[in-house]
Amino acid sequence: MPKAGASAQAGAGAPRRAMKGGDVTGGQTKDTSDMSFEELLRLQRHTRPKAYKQLGAGKSAKTRSPTQPACVADKHRPLEMSAKARVPFLRQVVPVSKKVARDPRFDDLSGEYNPEVFDKTYQFLNDIRAKEKQLVKKQLKKHRSGEEHERLQQLLQRMEQQEMAQQERKQQQELRLALKQERRALAQQGHRPYFLKKSEQRQLALAEKFKELKRSKKLESFLSRKRRRNAGKDRRHLPLSKE
């Protein structure tokens, strides 16, 4: 009987030692990660909730995140990564500097666009275009028919359209420059400067174009093309005739 009482007292004292040292089986301290599930349940049953939470917090602090890279002893040794971390589909093995394309038309480093300065700087391109136009005309005389003739004809027509557009743009620049000088002269005389609207500028440009066509005797052909174009637009908006 005394032996049974002693064993009962020893069994009752074991949880107290586990609560103090962290082990259920002996007096030495033991980490909770090495305990079995039965020992953890016994420890949770015989310890206070606050002490058990502190034991769990100590265990989680010791464990390391799988995404955290391991320490590398040698800098030339490859880095050890966890097998639990998912490898990305596109991974960068060698760092490559990304090349950024720069468009000079929309970049502030190229400065502000000034049409007058641009035309003066690239004035030599007009001579090159004129030589290319003469060369296309000579090639067109050699090829009287066929696919090459059609290709050269389209190329010559495109060159002429570009030349006409450039002349029209130049006339608009001269008109804007004249209006600017006129406003500057009125401001020097003490008048309040008046800035034209875009619709008024378009009307002045159209009047100048009308005068230029009248001087070159191309007004009738221009008006006839304009009438045919407008008639085609109006015909598209008309309802279909019922047969």
Side-chain angles (χ1 to χ4, degrees):
M1 290 300 291
K3 293 182 180 179
S7 62
Q9 289 178 1
R16 292 194 184 95
R17 288 198 304 271
M19 180 180 65
K20 294 179 182 179
D23 189 6
V24 219
T25 57
Q28 298 178 356
T29 57
K30 188 177 181 182
D31 193 4
T32 54
S33 59
D34 300 331
M35 292 183 182
S36 63
F37 185 69
E38 184 181 357
E39 292 176 349
L40 287 174
L41 287 177
R42 193 184 306 163
L43 180 64
Q44 185 180 5
R45 193 183 304 116
H46 292 92
T47 55
R48 290 173 296 176
K50 188 175 181 180
Y52 186 76
K53 287 181 180 179
Q54 289 178 358
L55 288 175
K59 176 187 175 183
S60 62
K62 291 180 182 179
T63 57
R64 184 167 45 85
S65 175
T67 58
Q68 184 180 357
C71 297
V72 181
D74 188 5
K75 63 178 182 179
H76 301 292
R77 178 183 173 185
L79 185 65
E80 295 181 4
M81 299 296 292
S82 174
K84 298 180 181 179
R86 191 172 184 177
V87 180
F89 178 70
L90 297 175
R91 50 186 176 181
Q92 188 177 6
V93 181
V94 180
V96 181
S97 59
K98 185 178 179 181
K99 294 182 180 180
V100 180
R102 188 176 70 88
D103 195 343
R105 298 174 299 172
F106 309 105
D107 200 345
D108 296 336
L109 297 176
S110 302
E112 189 177 356
Y113 172 69
N114 192 347
E116 289 82 7
V117 177
F118 184 83
D119 291 340
K120 289 179 181 179
T121 306
Y122 296 97
Q123 185 69 27
F124 64 94
L125 292 178
N126 296 331
D127 301 334
I128 297 175
R129 292 192 187 100
K131 292 179 181 179
E132 290 178 350
K133 187 177 179 181
Q134 294 297 329
L135 183 61
V136 170
K137 285 183 178 180
K138 289 180 181 179
Q139 294 291 331
L140 193 60
K141 290 179 181 179
K142 294 180 181 180
H143 301 83
R144 296 291 181 178
S145 61
E147 296 181 357
E148 189 68 19
H149 174 77
E150 293 180 359
R151 188 184 68 82
L152 292 172
Q153 188 71 27
Q154 292 177 1
L155 181 59
L156 181 61
Q157 186 178 1
R158 186 165 64 249
M159 286 181 173
E160 290 176 353
Q161 289 177 356
Q162 290 177 357
E163 187 177 354
M164 291 174 59
Q166 186 179 2
Q167 291 178 0
E168 186 176 355
R169 188 170 60 251
K170 188 176 180 180
Q171 290 176 2
Q172 292 179 1
Q173 289 178 7
E174 292 176 356
L175 180 61
R176 285 196 296 267
L177 184 60
L179 292 173
K180 187 176 180 180
Q181 291 177 356
E182 185 179 354
R183 288 198 302 266
R184 188 176 298 171
L186 290 174
Q188 290 178 358
Q189 293 177 6
H191 298 279
R192 186 177 181 181
Y194 175 71
F195 297 94
L196 295 176
K197 300 178 182 178
K198 290 185 178 181
S199 58
E200 296 175 349
Q201 292 180 7
R202 283 195 296 266
Q203 290 177 2
L204 289 175
L206 189 60
E208 290 293 330
K209 186 176 181 180
F210 182 81
K211 292 178 183 178
E212 182 65 27
L213 290 171
K214 194 172 183 180
R215 281 196 299 267
S216 59
K217 297 180 181 180
K218 296 180 181 179
L219 182 61
E220 292 299 330
S221 61
F222 174 77
L223 291 177
S224 63
R225 289 198 305 270
K226 194 76 172 177
R227 291 191 198 99
R228 288 197 300 269
R229 195 179 298 114
N230 292 337
K233 290 180 181 179
D234 295 339
R235 197 178 297 112
R236 286 197 296 268
H237 294 290
L238 289 174
L240 297 175
S241 60
K242 295 182 181 180
E243 297 181 356

